[in-house]
Amino acid sequence: MEDWDIDHQRSFRHMREAMVADQIAARGIANRDVLRVMREIPRHRFVPPGQSTAAYEDRPLPIGNGQTISQPYIVALMTELLEPTPDDLILDIGTGSGYLAAVVSRLANRIISVERIPHLADCARHRLQCEGYGNIEVVTADGTIGYAPHAPYDGIIISAAYQSIPPLLLEQLRPGGRLVMPVGADDEQRLHKVQKLADGTLQTTCHSPVRFVPLIGRYAWADA
Ligand code: SAH
């Protein structure tokens, strides 16, 4: 590694430490594993070239095709609500940059990540492979129908919003599983967490107000 490169890595690490302390821990995220993983994963490698220094700011960033990588705090909050454990098989809908999948992959066994825009799926697949995330499989498809080949899932996490939770996603959740999704109108939503109990009953709790890009597909908004 060149000297300037070592300096760069060091300053990115400092930015990550500050991000976790000021934006995430300070707002009440207490799960130590989530905080550790967010300190470790180089978020600047998941944003477009030229944006790397903005990667640790307290906001979402554009990643092309009209989509965004979520704000760091929201990634941490969704991961905490998902409660991934080391044996879990997780379905991630809306791969985008692949950053959320990367974070969750460090806390679960295997991730199936679905993205509808082929260019974003291809870039994320390539990036995740190069960065060594061997337990993430990126699939180009409409995630509103879930992904039947590997169902049921211990956790399902959706990074795009709709007025209700697509029914097939609830079907593909294992008893004992958790689903996290922004639910609401197109300009503001709330994070919802659904737990499927052992007897199949669904228990829903409502969390922070959020603003996500639309979920587009067969069981959500139509493609404009
Ligand atoms: N988790 C991502 C956030 C990306 S934004 C990250 O960490 O970067 C949400 C993504 O959901 C967009 O890339 C969008 O194309 C995708 N999306 C929207 N509707 C979808 C659907 N029906 N199936 C799969 N992906 C979808």
Side-chain angles (χ1 to χ4, degrees), residues 12-35:
F12 282 131
R13 193 168 317 124
H14 283 143
M15 285 188 232
R16 265 200 307 281
E17 295 282 345
M19 171 189 86
V20 170
D22 305 343
Q23 302 169 30
I24 299 176
R27 290 197 181 109
I29 303 292
N31 183 308
R32 287 165 162 272
D33 295 322
V34 174
L35 297 176

Side-chain angles (χ1 to χ4, degrees), residues 67-70 93-100 114-117 120 141-144 159-160 213-217:
Q67 306 304 320
T68 54
I69 174 174
S70 309
I93 310 286
T95 313
S97 67
Y99 177 67
L100 175 65
V114 182
E115 170 57 53
R116 64 179 284 272
I117 299 177
L120 291 178
D142 172 11
T144 65
S159 300
V213 296
L215 182 68
I216 294 169

